[in-house]
């Protein structure tokens, strides 16, 4: 397929700070169901691109380079979107026939949309933009807040990216050194006809936290995402050693007898680890941290959770949420539930955790006060690369 396509470079302006989204990272690096926005954008456009150039926030150029390795070029962006595009345009190779410009913020624009833009360029158009009709009536308003004009809505369109151009048209447009909120505006200024094609609802520009939620819903409903559930349990007997510390749910319980075990015996943490391994199909607690591994002797439940998270993250999974129930007479969990949730969640890099507890009406080893057990369920999400 790729060899049949014309040489096409894609420029991704991604240098904005994402002020309206309000995250503590630039918008392109914000996570959307297991990947950053820039990774989604690159994954969707890679099949059609002969060259990919990202204009990145200056402080994140190296980080973005390490995401993609050799497959993309990364340049520090400018003060405005137009300047960011211009800086990236300087790196477009001579043999590129077409140049597409695509906002990292429109992370979910499909490969098919890119293909449609290119098809129009192949048929001879010099500039092509995807658009959607607008459903709201749009008014022009003066400085004092009074309506000055109501344009005919049927003639208005909301404009998206990817916007495609012949290399010559885009280079000429940017050589004018004027600003525009999109690239087509610069090309229009040269009286080059700009062809519109139908855009995509999924290609929304992720601007606010609400947009990020909308994009999450689109993605979770798509075949790109796998949602998997797993169950894990663990049990340990109380120790005969009165000085053995009691670790449970990532917390130290002073004055309570501890349980026996190779590690610290934190049944809640271990049940969660196993549920995560079960959900992801990556073995279990024994196969990953077996009793034959001396480095895990006495290991804390929090450390096991962190290591489990590292293993499942490396395989492309993200935790949606985790629920654990502790079964036993003592200690009473209720008074420290919030602390326990915080400790477990912290070990899982902030994943949502819930903690419940129950006794068994005097039945079984937990009811007889001989030990503790826990059962956990995890929901994980896997984004297909
Ligand atoms: N952009 C850029 N260089 C800039 C400003 C914006 O490359 N100096 C990019 C953004 O990273 C984004 C696209 O242009 O992919 C569209 O901009 P916008 O959605 O407004 O993103 P931000 O500027 O990051 O967001 P905000 O305006 O809320 O700060
Ligand atoms: Mg902006």
């Amino acid at each position: 397929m790729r060899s049949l396509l014309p040489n096409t470079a894609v420029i991704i302006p991604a240098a904005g700070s994402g002020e309206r989204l309000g995250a503590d990272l630039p918008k392109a690096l914000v996570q959307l169901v297991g990947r950053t926005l820039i990774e989604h954008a690159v994954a969707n456009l890679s099949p059609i691109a002969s060259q990919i150039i990202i204009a990145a926030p200056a402080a994140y150029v190296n980080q973005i380079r390490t995401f993609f390795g050799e497959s993309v070029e990364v340049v520090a962006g400018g003060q405005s979107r137009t300047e960011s595009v211009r800086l990236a345009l300087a790196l477009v190779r001579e043999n590129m026939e077409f140049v597409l410009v695509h906002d990292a913020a429109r992370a979910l624009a499909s490969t098919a949309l890119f293909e449609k833009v290119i098809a129009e360029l192949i048929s001879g158009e010099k500039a092509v933009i995807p658009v959607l009709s607008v459903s709201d009536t749009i008014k022009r308003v003066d400085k004092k807040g009074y309506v000055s004009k109501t344009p005919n809505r049927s003639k208005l369109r909301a404009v998206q990216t990817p916007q495609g151009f012949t290399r010559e048209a885009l280079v000429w447009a940017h050589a004018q050194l004027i600003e525009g909120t999109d690239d087509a505006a610069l090309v229009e200024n040269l009286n080059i006809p700009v062809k519109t094609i139908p855009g995509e609802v999924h290609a929304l520009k992720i601007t606010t936290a609400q947009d990020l939620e909308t994009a999450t819903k689109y993605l979770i409903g798509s075949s790109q995402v796998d949602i998997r559930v797993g169950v894990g349990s663990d049990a340990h007997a109380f120790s005969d050693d009165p000085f053995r510390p009691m670790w449970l749910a990532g917390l130290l319980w002073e004055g309570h007898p501890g349980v026996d075990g190779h590690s610290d015996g934190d049944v809640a943490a271990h049940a969660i680890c196993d549920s995560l391994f079960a959900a992801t199909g990556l073995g279990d607690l024994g196969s990953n941290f077996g009793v034959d591994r001396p480095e895990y002797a006495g290991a804390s439940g929090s450390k096991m959770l962190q290591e489990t998270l590292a293993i499942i993250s490396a395989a492309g999974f993200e935790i949606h949420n985790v629920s654990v129930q502790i079964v036993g007479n003592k200690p009473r969990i209720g008074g420290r539930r919030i602390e326990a949730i915080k400790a477990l969640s912290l070990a899982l890099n902030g994943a949502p955790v819930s903690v419940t507890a129950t006794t068994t009406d005097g039945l079984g080893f937990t009811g007889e006060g001989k030990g503790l057990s826990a059962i956990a369920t995890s929901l994980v999400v896997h984004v297909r690369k």
Side-chain angles (χ1 to χ4, degrees), residues 308-364:
T308 303
L309 178 65
I311 293 168
I312 68 165
S313 302
F317 290 93
E318 193 192 357
I319 299 174
H320 183 275
N321 72 302
V322 166
S323 162
V324 63
Q325 183 173 54
I326 297 163
V327 186
N329 300 341
K330 282 193 231 163
R332 308 299 283 183
I333 304 300
R336 298 186 74 188
R337 189 195 313 276
I338 306 282
E339 254 183 283
I341 289 171
K342 278 193 186 151
L344 295 169
S345 176
L346 183 69
L348 294 173
N349 206 13
V353 174
S354 60
V355 176
T356 58
T358 188
T359 56
T360 50
D361 211 12
L363 299 171

Side-chain angles (χ1 to χ4, degrees), residues 20-34:
R20 286 168 289 178
L21 190 60
D24 45 12
L25 279 170
K27 187 158 69 177
L29 293 165
V30 166
Q31 290 280 332
L32 171 63
V33 196

Side-chain angles (χ1 to χ4, degrees), residues 37-374:
L37 295 189
I38 187 73
E39 287 174 291
H40 279 288
V42 169
N44 290 343
L45 63 84
S46 283
I48 57 87
S50 321
Q51 185 185 11
I52 301 171
I53 306 160
I54 296 174
Y60 293 84
V61 167
N62 287 336
Q63 186 176 339
I64 292 182
R65 266 191 197 131
T66 58
F67 277 177
F68 301 109
E70 300 282 285
S71 59
V72 306
E73 286 154 72
V74 186
V75 64
Q79 290 302 311
S80 66
R81 182 187 179 284
T82 306
E83 194 186 352
S84 294
V85 173
R86 193 157 50 235
L87 290 164
L89 191 55
L91 297 189
V92 170
R93 290 198 294 265
E94 287 295 328
N95 62 340
M96 294 295 135
E97 195 176 341
F98 304 136
V99 184
L100 271 49
V101 183
H102 180 54
D103 289 339
R106 295 186 190 272
L108 300 187
S110 72
T111 308
L113 187 60
F114 284 86
E115 285 169 346
K116 285 177 198 153
V117 170
I118 294 171
E120 293 290 340
L121 293 169
I122 291 172
S123 74
E125 299 294 342
K126 290 190 164 58
V128 183
I129 61 173
V131 299
L132 293 178
S133 47
V134 290
S135 43
D136 292 326
T137 294
I138 298 195
K139 307 238 183 230
R140 195 184 275 256
V141 178
D142 69 18
K143 281 185 189 148
K144 292 179 181 160
Y146 290 94
V147 172
S148 55
K149 203 174 176 199
T150 303
N152 179 350
R153 188 175 69 190
S154 67
K155 291 192 177 163
L156 295 176
R157 300 289 181 271
V159 177
Q160 301 184 321
T161 69
Q163 299 191 345
F165 308 92
T166 60
R167 178 199 160 95
E168 199 185 19
L170 191 64
V171 167
W172 185 22
H174 275 274
Q176 300 174 95
L177 299 178
I178 55 170
E179 285 285 317
T181 51
D182 73 350
D183 297 278
L186 310 184
V187 170
E188 287 153 39
N189 201 41
L190 301 171
N191 292 321
I192 293 173
V194 177
K195 172 86 187 283
T196 65
I197 62 166
E200 278 179 352
V201 175
H202 286 198
L204 83 160
K205 187 161 89 166
I206 298 169
T207 306
T208 61
Q210 173 107 46
D211 296 332
L212 200 60
E213 250 177 60
T214 305
T216 303
K217 284 183 192 142
Y218 288 154
L219 209 49
I220 296 278
S222 83
S223 58
Q224 255 189 307
V225 171
D226 246 352
I227 301 176
R228 303 190 193 174
V229 68
V231 166
S233 68
D234 193 32
H236 284 292
F238 286 121
S239 172
D240 292 334
D241 174 359
F243 299 109
R244 171 110 176 140
M246 158 62 95
W247 283 96
L248 182 62
L251 302 177
L252 177 63
W253 299 74
E254 309 248 19
H256 286 275
V259 296
D260 287 325
H262 174 62
S263 61
D264 69 351
D266 185 335
V267 291
H270 298 174
I272 294 173
C273 292
D274 248 348
S275 69
L276 290 167
F277 286 128
T280 55
L282 294 169
D284 60 18
L285 207 62
S287 66
N288 283 284
F289 315 116
V291 283
D292 53 336
R293 306 267 302 270
E295 68 269 33
Y296 293 110
S300 73
S302 298
K303 179 176 179 207
M304 306 270 255
L305 287 167
Q306 284 162 9
E307 303 241 340
T308 303
L309 178 65
I311 293 168
I312 68 165
S313 302
F317 290 93
E318 193 192 357
I319 299 174
H320 183 275
N321 72 302
V322 166
S323 162
V324 63
Q325 183 173 54
I326 297 163
V327 186
N329 300 341
K330 282 193 231 163
R332 308 299 283 183
I333 304 300
R336 298 186 74 188
R337 189 195 313 276
I338 306 282
E339 254 183 283
I341 289 171
K342 278 193 186 151
L344 295 169
S345 176
L346 183 69
L348 294 173
N349 206 13
V353 174
S354 60
V355 176
T356 58
T358 188
T359 56
T360 50
D361 211 12
L363 299 171
F365 78 93
T366 51
E368 290 163 14
K370 293 181 180 166
L372 279 177
S373 71

